[in-house]
Amino acid sequence: MVRKTYVTDAKYFLHGGDYNPDQWLDRKDILADDLKFMKMTRTNTFSVGIFSWSMLEPEEGVYNFEWLDEIFDNIYKNGGRIILATPSGARPAWMSQKYPEILRVNEYRMKQLHGGRHNHCFTSKIYREKTQNINRLLAERYGKHPALLMWHVSNEYSGECHCENCQNAFREWLKKKYNNDLKALNDAWWTAFWSHTYTDWSQIESPSPIGENSIHGLKLDWKRFVTDQTISFFENEIVPLREITPHIPITTNFMADTYDLIPFQGLDYSKFAKHVDVVSWDAYPAWHNDWETTADLAMKVGFINDLYRSLKQQPFILMESTPSGVNWQNVNKAKRPGMHILSSLQMIAHGSDSVMYFQWRKSRGSAEKFHGAVVDHDNRSDNRVFKEVAKLGEILEKIGKITGSNRQSEVGILYDWENNWALNDAQGFAMETKRYPQTLQEHYRFFWERDIPVDVITKEKDFSRYKLLIVPMLYLASGETLGKLKEYVKNGGTLVMTYLSGLVDENDLVYLGGWPKELQEVFGITPLEIDTYYPKDKNSVTYENKTFVVKDYATVIENRSAAVLGEYLEDFYAHTPAITVHPFGKGKAYFLGARLEAAFHQAFYGNLTEELGIKPPVTVRHGKGVSVQVRRDEAHEYVFVMNFTEEKQPVAFETELKDLLTGETLYGETVLEKYEVKIAERSLSSR
Ligand code: GLA
Ligand code: ZN
């Protein structure tokens, strides 16, 4: 049986969310209301069983599936489908009590008590056996149920365990990586520093605030191990699922570091994505916050979606979002009228084939009782949030044909998890201003504001599909990555690289003899020094007769054979190159030596996109804060025009489109209301 790569071949959007009927089993009236409300909101898919282990296995080896049988049957009869979770995200108390080895040990080497969730040891043999066992029973029982749509494996894998079993697993992982050669490890980690040489594998311990923290190679390998060990735990979980339900797609929900809305830092998702059939993620942007505009936040949401979509270069699933506020921010603000529909459709515009919520119904007690939900404590279907969800349900039903369509980009921005780990670890430069993911977002901003689609890709991807590849702050770059970048330019690509790039190899060891020779060849320059700025330090760079402000970082450059496009104006490196371009093979390589204000990106990328003929797929004229994003399949382009401002916005359609909700032709000038979205299509044959 062939497994589907994503799930909506049926051409409808998954709409629904985390459903916890196990909290309400003694309230048949509420379970009946749920079914009624599901119909009213046109929700069709529910993630069930995420935290149900103690309900499924109340005592060791004693199982209770009857309640879940009923939920499966009822949802199916109601026209819905189920995304069935494996319950490993939280375990029953009896299990922690009987098998303390499954409890996590933190970086201070403190064994954790039972409680919370997402806190198991990912190495424990017993926990691995227990999860496989319950997963097997779930697959056997529900594998053939027509309601089963997808597997939701565990929940938001994260965190580290530093127990003795994990230490041993780490040592084994290292032995394999370094071919049992301790000297190779000592060399790679530069352990002669501070007399940290290891003379036996058993001396190696995971990094700790009360122990080793100065060996960057160790810290990097530990983070890699944590990703690999989490994937290995996941792979162990899915053995029975693959065996018994080979036709059912598997996902696990990824997340973001929410305050800044940057990619989650705990796991390298570029590796994890290879193990799932479809990428799904949980998006909780803090809309209406008091530190950024709606449009600024929308830009960041665009960025992270374009990264998670590019992990598999196919549509993804929005697994969780809130219909209103959350409960874990400092201030948990309700989404204002219109924002729920706008923010959900933005996810779709960037490639989601679903809008799923945490949570279907607010729980009565415990930590999440005030987290936004479709159904509130009042159990009413006429409140504002419920009605907005229902309205979105109607919209989604009208635009189901969009599912499965992808995006097409000529611009790639390179994001690398390992790079961010190493860069943040680097003691040097400025501790507060590295901001690697945020810097990528600042480069992305130009394209978002101009409606030019971008793939945010990772280093193992094929670069040759992009006309323009932007690689900011790639501090850590292996020889392999450098080789790929060189090939890319040689074969005709246009590469933009910045300050703080190409400093260390994959072991976080600095390249000796100056900048790597591949980069010197490609860029025709040699960076000599990196100057780090205090916030009050001032410098600027000239570019096309204008001057642009330098912030945080500036590279002093020795020019070999590049053309100089911009020079510094001040300091001991005044009148030396800051921005250069160099032809190499059939391509061109631009180097941005300094971090420059947004106006520079506007000017620079404005020129570059014009030169390369990179344009938005459809032309809609608009002001700041309106975003136009396009998906396409073989026959159509699907166009989302979204107003991320609190004001009306005039827009002018210069491409004729058909409004998918009203059937009207969109051409010429019109006005978008606050938070309004238009969804339109154009047949590709009409181009
Ligand atoms: C995460 C979890 C959910 C829930 C939400 C609340 O995404 O997966 O179980 O706790 O956060 O926002
Ligand atoms: Zn452990």
Side-chain angles (χ1 to χ4, degrees):
M1 183 93 68
V2 183
R3 235 180 305 122
K4 290 180 212 153
T5 48
Y6 54 90
V7 287
T8 53
D9 296 357
K11 292 285 178 202
Y12 70 90
F13 281 99
L14 308 186
H15 185 212
D18 282 22
Y19 180 39
N20 302 308
D22 31 333
Q23 294 176 17
W24 302 97
L25 292 181
D26 58 352
R27 290 292 305 266
K28 298 281 174 224
D29 55 326
I30 284 195
L31 298 181
D33 282 346
D34 284 337
L35 295 170
K36 192 175 77 194
F37 290 154
M38 286 169 183
K39 285 226 139 133
M40 290 172 78
T41 47
R42 297 167 195 250
T43 43
N44 51 44
T45 305
F46 300 90
S47 310
V48 178
I50 300 176
F51 298 114
S52 299
W53 205 336
S54 62
M55 198 58 79
L56 294 169
E57 191 179 357
E59 286 173 50
E60 189 166 24
V62 175
Y63 301 101
N64 170 20
F65 290 110
E66 286 70 24
W67 66 272
L68 188 54
D69 296 349
E70 225 177 283
I71 297 295
F72 258 84
D73 292 346
N74 288 342
I75 286 193
Y76 191 63
K77 272 188 253 152
N78 210 39
R81 303 290 297 275
I82 284 179
I83 298 182
L84 182 57
T86 68
S88 68
R91 60 189 169 276
W94 60 256
M95 199 185 293
S96 306
Q97 188 175 41
K98 180 155 181 203
Y99 305 105
E101 82 157 45
I102 67 187
L103 294 168
R104 209 170 260 190
V105 171
N106 74 10
E107 64 272 36
Y108 292 93
R109 308 308 191 252
M110 269 160 74
K111 183 131 190 119
Q112 306 296 287
L113 302 178
H114 179 78
R117 57 175 183 171
H118 300 158
N119 52 12
H120 59 268
C121 166
F122 42 48
T123 302
S124 163
K125 258 178 92 173
I126 292 171
Y127 201 54
R128 286 177 177 223
E129 273 166 32
K130 290 284 174 202
T131 41
Q132 249 197 30
N133 174 59
I134 190 81
N135 294 0
R136 178 171 296 279
L137 295 175
L138 287 169
E140 281 168 356
R141 196 162 183 112
Y142 303 107
K144 292 213 167 64
H145 198 291
L148 180 65
L149 181 70
M150 193 179 353
W151 287 107
H152 178 301
V153 178
S154 202
N155 191 62
E156 295 190 336
Y157 284 114
S158 66
E160 310 177 348
C161 177
H162 298 258
C163 78
E164 218 24 63
N165 287 333
C166 287
Q167 302 294 346
N168 285 329
F170 180 43
R171 291 171 196 134
E172 290 310 311
W173 184 93
L174 291 169
K175 281 184 194 161
K176 201 163 148 211
K177 172 165 181 183
Y178 293 100
N179 292 319
N180 272 313
D181 180 352
L182 197 53
K183 175 162 187 322
L185 175 143
N186 277 308
D187 290 348
W189 289 1
W190 205 253
T191 53
F193 174 78
W194 288 355
S195 202
H196 286 204
T197 307
Y198 296 100
T199 53
D200 194 273
W201 295 94
S202 62
Q203 296 157 0
I204 300 171
E205 281 273 343
S206 57
S208 167
I210 56 167
E212 187 58 82
N213 242 317
S214 310
I215 300 182
H216 288 178
L218 160 72
K219 292 174 83 179
L220 192 54
D221 272 345
W222 168 252
K223 288 208 163 72
R224 289 173 172 141
F225 164 77
V226 169
T227 291
D228 285 357
Q229 197 70 345
T230 305
I231 293 172
S232 144
F233 184 88
F234 164 88
E235 279 292 335
N236 176 78
E237 278 216 37
I238 67 173
V239 168
L241 315 185
R242 290 279 190 233
E243 192 187 305
I244 300 165
T245 60
H247 55 296
I248 300 290
I250 291 178
T251 191
T252 182
N253 45 345
F254 292 169
M255 37 179 172
D257 273 359
T258 306
Y259 287 97
D260 237 350
L261 211 75
I262 60 170
F264 175 65
Q265 291 306 305
L267 296 167
D268 184 343
Y269 285 156
S270 70
K271 286 188 181 168
F272 212 147
K274 299 198 177 91
H275 297 259
V276 298
D277 298 323
V278 54
V279 164
S280 64
W281 81 283
D282 302 342
Y284 293 102
W287 296 111
H288 323 290
N289 65 47
D290 69 352
W291 64 85
E292 65 197 333
T293 63
T294 302
D296 279 344
L297 179 54
M299 179 276 288
K300 295 179 184 173
V301 176
F303 173 84
I304 194 161
N305 274 324
D306 285 335
L307 170 63
Y308 288 178
R309 175 183 48 78
S310 300
L311 288 173
K312 286 189 98 67
Q313 286 169 324
Q314 69 185 29
F316 60 91
I317 298 289
L318 169 62
M319 191 60 92
E320 292 179 23
S321 62
T322 177
S324 186
V326 294
N327 67 327
W328 43 261
Q329 295 273 15
N330 285 338
V331 175
N332 298 291
K333 202 170 177 71
K335 279 179 171 172
R336 317 327 277 168
M339 179 49 84
H340 179 57
I341 289 175
L342 171 64
S343 60
S344 302
L345 290 173
Q346 186 194 15
M347 302 299 292
I348 289 178
H350 284 268
S352 177
D353 273 359
S354 72
V355 176
M356 302 279 288
Y357 310 121
F358 180 87
Q359 50 192 340
W360 168 255
R361 176 185 283 279
K362 281 186 184 170
S363 52
R364 183 162 185 208
S366 297
E368 292 184 322
K369 58 183 175 295
F370 295 120
H371 190 291
V374 179
V375 185
D376 212 326
H377 296 125
D378 62 9
N379 203 43
R380 286 170 65 152
S381 57
D382 61 353
N383 63 36
R384 187 178 69 84
V385 171
F386 188 98
K387 286 199 294 201
E388 284 209 40
V389 169
K391 191 163 159 210
L392 177 65
E394 258 176 65
I395 295 173
L396 295 180
E397 284 187 358
K398 289 194 183 136
I399 62 170
K401 65 192 287 197
I402 296 175
T403 57
S405 62
N406 209 336
R407 278 161 67 79
Q408 223 176 40
S409 316
E410 294 176 317
V411 181
I413 298 183
L414 188 79
Y415 178 76
D416 184 42
W417 267 269
E418 297 190 341
N419 179 57
N420 197 35
W421 293 338
L423 188 60
N424 285 340
D425 232 12
Q427 285 177 258
F429 320 112
M431 304 323 280
E432 301 293 327
T433 59
K434 288 174 192 154
R435 297 175 63 79
Y436 167 65
Q438 292 87 343
T439 303
L440 265 62
Q441 289 169 342
E442 282 311 313
H443 286 259
Y444 176 88
R445 174 190 293 281
F446 167 86
F447 301 91
W448 187 81
E449 288 180 351
R450 304 283 173 107
D451 309 326
I452 296 171
V454 173
D455 285 354
V456 183
I457 56 165
T458 45
K459 58 184 180 292
E460 75 291 349
K461 291 284 176 331
D462 174 13
F463 298 163
S464 70
R465 36 196 288 178
Y466 304 101
K467 278 190 186 168
L468 174 61
L469 180 64
I470 302 168
V471 185
M473 297 178 75
L474 194 69
Y475 162 81
L476 178 149
S478 66
E480 195 186 333
T481 303
L482 295 177
K484 272 185 81 172
L485 291 171
K486 182 173 163 183
E487 275 303 299
Y488 168 74
V489 183
K490 196 169 143 202
N491 295 329
T494 298
L495 176 66
V496 177
M497 223 182 192
T498 75
Y499 58 93
L500 284 181
S501 290
L503 295 185
V504 301
D505 69 11
E506 66 276 22
N507 296 317
D508 208 351
L509 290 176
V510 176
Y511 282 107
L512 292 182
W515 222 28
K517 68 171 187 334
E518 292 91 333
L519 294 180
Q520 301 211 27
E521 253 181 88
V522 171
F523 289 92
I525 57 166
T526 307
L528 299 175
E529 281 183 62
I530 296 161
D531 194 13
T532 307
Y533 285 39
Y534 283 102
K536 282 192 180 150
D537 287 342
K538 286 209 167 29
N539 202 346
S540 38
V541 160
T542 51
Y543 174 75
E544 293 195 318
N545 302 321
K546 292 201 192 72
T547 61
F548 296 96
V549 176
V550 175
K551 294 178 295 181
D552 307 326
Y553 299 103
T555 316
V556 184
I557 295 169
E558 178 183 60
N559 189 15
R560 292 162 172 267
S561 48
V564 177
L565 302 179
E567 288 184 347
Y568 295 106
L569 286 183
E570 318 262 339
D571 225 313
F572 67 91
Y573 42 93
H575 313 301
T576 68
I579 302 160
T580 59
V581 60
H582 184 241
F584 179 76
K586 295 188 199 135
K588 270 186 185 177
Y590 291 84
F591 190 75
L592 309 181
R595 183 175 285 174
L596 292 156
E597 60 181 314
F600 170 77
H601 289 171
Q602 299 294 334
F604 175 72
Y605 287 123
N607 288 336
L608 222 53
T609 46
E610 199 178 306
E611 194 183 312
L612 294 169
I614 297 171
K615 292 195 190 83
V618 297
T619 320
V620 182
R621 268 192 298 121
H622 57 76
K624 245 185 137 120
V626 173
S627 167
V628 181
Q629 301 293 334
V630 176
R631 289 175 70 159
R632 65 186 272 172
D633 56 25
E634 305 78 54
H636 294 98
E637 276 169 328
Y638 304 105
V639 184
F640 295 74
V641 185
M642 300 169 278
N643 180 5
F644 289 104
T645 74
E646 281 64 31
E647 292 83 40
K648 287 182 199 285
Q649 292 290 340
V651 296
F653 290 89
E654 292 182 3
T655 309
E656 193 175 302
L657 302 170
K658 187 176 132 212
D659 189 312
L660 274 177
L661 300 181
T662 64
E664 285 167 18
T665 299
L666 297 174
Y667 192 69
E669 289 175 17
T670 184
V671 170
L672 288 185
E673 297 298 321
K674 165 182 180 181
Y675 299 157
E676 189 183 343
V677 185
K678 289 209 182 292
I679 313 164
E681 73 174 359
R682 169 163 73 148
S683 103
L684 284 171
S685 57
S686 73
R687 295 225 296 182

